[in-house]
Amino acid sequence: LEIGVGDIPSFLRHRSFLHSSFEFLNFHQKSRTDTMKLATAAFLILSPTVPCLGFAPIRKSNVATHLHATKEVPLFVDATTSTHSSVSDYYGKTLSESSDLKTNACCTAGSPVPHIQAAISNIHPEVIKKYYGCGFCTPDLIEGCTVLDLGCGAGRDVYIASQLVGKEGQVIGVDMTPEQLAVATEYQPYHAEKFGYDNVEFHQGLIEQLDDIESLKDDSVDVIISNCVINLCPDKEAVLKSCHRVLKPGGELYFSDVYSNRRVPQSLRENEVLWGECLSGALYWNDFHNLAKKCGFADPRLVEDSPITVDNQDVQNTIDKSGQANLKFFSATYRLFKLDSLEPFCEDFGQAVIYKGTIPTFESGWALDDHHYMETGKIFPVCGNTFNMLKETRFEEHFDFIGDFNTHYGIFDGCGTSIPYKSATENGASASGGKGGGCC
């Protein structure tokens, strides 16, 4: 069977497909073996019974891949390619910088607060260029802490945290992509000189397998951060269980990620580009809440959220044609405390706290999450869980506490179970959005 270019269907003659396939098959050699391979590739891609089969494109450094709606960069994988290797290839080879992304799912909306912006200004431009994240996931009051960054990539958030924990603190970055870690370690001496100390270390590995990293002992980490990475992992339960294991009592997982207003169907979960773009791996928000509780984080707290818009017609068409036009995605930041004293729901014990105004840069007031902003000096009623999140953690010295657990008054008013994202209401995704979320 001999096949020439003129015999190939028009969509297979697209320059992006031919570029990758011709290189992969060494098409210019007119051997029978190569033409048979090309025929097989065409059959696999056209066959409706094997939609996930094909070949990964070979990308040259001089080929522009800015992924806008007017350009196509198809990504095919063969049936044996694992999610891990596919994601690693996507972020290590297919993407060169953040502008290559097809959607804004892995892009941070808004501007950082001044002290975070000041920290970012000290980071090498090459590290910044390779940042893929959906939020600012560095919590307050981490000076002297040990911080673990899951899916650290090229190290932007590691180097932010490095400045915030200071010389006495430590930051550990874990990522599975060699190309990203190469950038992070290449500029480690630059940042050590810039900051006046070197308090970071990087490890290549899977964040589902933190047990393989010798330095990550049980109860050894104060704060875990992660920026739009957990959604990329096929075994999210393993990630959360590992986080719970390595956190010290009173420590927290503080992370930004992508969530959906309903469960993503299997047909979209098998789409390689949508997975790499942080969409098809997104957890339905209520499944995430239940999974977090199962893994020991009894009361997930939403810090902030924003809608994700799919600003690429090809990607949106893929979602629409699957019958999921009403599937919506959100970028959300959560904090999950490792505290045995937390209950699954917010119970009322008649307690209150008074913020002292002593957390640096937050003299007038401080927010624990998206609906607990406490003004300095003002009595603020709280549920039992919020009381313990402040009293049994690094925040204790910054609050006065009123009440105890002797008398129970029932469920705390306003503890609901509707979609918690305020942006869901603002963008029409849910009539009840932002009114609940499992915490007072």
Side-chain angles (χ1 to χ4, degrees):
L1 175 65
E2 296 288 344
I3 296 180
V5 172
D7 299 315
I8 304 174
S10 60
F11 89 94
L12 292 179
R13 297 200 302 269
H14 186 279
R15 60 175 178 80
S16 299
F17 176 82
L18 289 177
H19 165 71
S20 57
S21 299
F22 285 11
E23 284 195 12
F24 183 81
L25 300 174
N26 194 11
F27 188 80
H28 295 294
Q29 295 181 4
K30 299 297 185 178
S31 69
R32 184 177 300 272
T33 300
D34 285 347
T35 53
M36 284 291 289
K37 288 181 179 178
L38 184 56
T40 302
F43 167 76
L44 291 175
I45 294 168
L46 286 170
S47 173
T49 62
V50 283
C52 293
L53 299 181
F55 298 93
I58 298 173
R59 182 183 178 279
K60 286 185 175 180
S61 59
N62 62 345
V63 177
T65 57
H66 294 280
L67 307 179
H68 304 296
T70 57
K71 297 185 179 181
E72 298 178 42
V73 182
L75 181 59
F76 303 107
V77 293
D78 61 62
T80 62
T81 302
S82 70
T83 300
H84 291 124
S85 62
S86 300
V87 170
S88 182
D89 285 347
Y90 196 64
Y91 283 88
K93 298 180 175 67
T94 303
L95 303 180
S96 292
E97 54 189 62
S98 56
S99 62
D100 289 342
L101 290 162
K102 284 191 175 186
T103 71
N104 72 343
C106 292
C107 300
T108 302
S111 301
V113 294
H115 71 282
I116 298 295
Q117 183 60 62
I120 293 174
S121 68
N122 291 326
I123 299 174
H124 196 281
E126 286 300 310
V127 172
I128 299 294
K129 188 170 69 173
K130 290 187 175 292
Y131 161 73
Y132 310 103
C134 57
F136 298 104
C137 62
T138 306
D140 307 315
L141 211 64
I142 61 171
E143 184 175 359
C145 289
T146 296
V147 174
L148 169 63
D149 184 0
L150 300 181
C152 64
R156 190 204 76 155
D157 289 344
V158 167
Y159 290 122
I160 291 175
S162 171
Q163 298 171 73
L164 300 181
V165 302
K167 186 176 182 179
E168 302 303 316
Q170 181 186 19
V171 186
I172 305 165
V174 177
D175 201 275
M176 68 176 178
T177 306
E179 293 86 351
Q180 291 278 77
L181 287 175
V183 175
T185 55
E186 178 182 355
Y187 294 102
Q188 190 170 346
Y190 168 89
H191 294 103
E193 182 178 354
K194 187 83 170 178
F195 306 159
Y197 51 83
D198 185 5
N199 61 354
V200 307
E201 62 182 69
F202 295 96
H203 298 272
Q204 184 178 348
L206 301 177
I207 65 174
E208 300 100 315
Q209 299 175 6
L210 296 180
D211 292 356
D212 294 343
I213 300 175
E214 187 174 348
S215 60
L216 294 178
K217 308 292 186 182
D218 293 0
D219 305 330
S220 62
V221 174
D222 296 293
V223 175
I224 299 175
I225 61 176
S226 184
N227 203 332
C228 204
V229 171
I230 296 178
N231 74 85
L232 297 171
C233 299
D235 190 353
K236 297 171 177 62
E237 182 174 345
V239 176
L240 293 181
K241 284 183 175 179
S242 291
C243 290
H244 193 271
R245 177 185 67 82
V246 303
L247 278 173
K248 298 176 182 178
E252 67 168 317
L253 167 58
Y254 188 100
F255 71 112
S256 298
D257 224 303
V258 179
Y259 303 90
S260 58
N261 66 334
R262 57 185 66 182
R263 290 170 183 153
V264 179
Q266 188 64 27
S267 61
L268 293 181
R269 291 175 61 82
E270 293 173 352
N271 185 292
E272 185 75 10
V273 172
L274 291 186
W275 194 284
E277 289 285 326
C278 303
L279 295 178
S280 58
L283 269 176
Y284 165 50
W285 70 269
N286 202 31
D287 285 346
F288 162 69
H289 283 211
N290 290 331
L291 181 61
K293 293 174 182 179
K294 178 182 177 181
C295 295
F297 300 105
D299 188 358
R301 291 299 179 93
L302 176 65
V303 178
E304 60 182 356
D305 66 272
S306 61
I308 291 173
T309 57
V310 181
D311 299 324
N312 180 289
Q313 195 57 52
D314 290 338
V315 173
Q316 188 62 58
N317 287 342
T318 298
I319 296 173
D320 294 347
K321 289 178 180 178
S322 71
Q324 297 293 324
N326 291 318
L327 176 63
K328 305 299 179 184
F329 298 96
F330 303 88
S331 169
T333 300
Y334 278 92
R335 65 190 328 158
L336 279 58
F337 287 96
K338 180 180 178 177
L339 289 170
D340 291 339
S341 59
L342 299 184
E343 300 188 69
F345 294 96
C346 299
E347 304 294 340
D348 187 355
F349 294 91
Q351 297 157 314
V353 298
I354 302 174
Y355 174 55
K356 299 178 181 179
T358 50
I359 296 178
T361 75
F362 296 96
E363 292 79 9
S364 298
W366 180 79
L368 173 68
D369 51 45
D370 74 332
H371 55 288
H372 286 88
Y373 177 77
M374 294 156 278
E375 288 189 69
T376 300
K378 183 178 180 180
I379 297 176
F380 191 92
V382 295
C383 69
N385 281 355
T386 300
F387 190 91
N388 284 331
M389 287 178 187
L390 299 174
K391 188 167 181 57
E392 298 180 9
T393 65
R394 65 188 188 278
F395 301 111
E396 179 182 12
E397 66 180 278
H398 302 279
F399 288 86
D400 289 323
F401 296 88
I402 302 171
D404 52 37
F405 287 87
N406 290 334
T407 304
H408 180 232
Y409 298 97
I411 198 79
F412 199 94
D413 185 36
C415 182
T417 55
S418 60
I419 184 170
Y421 308 140
K422 293 178 180 178
S423 56
T425 300
E426 296 166 0
N427 292 273
S430 169
S432 59
K435 296 182 179 179
C439 51
C440 58

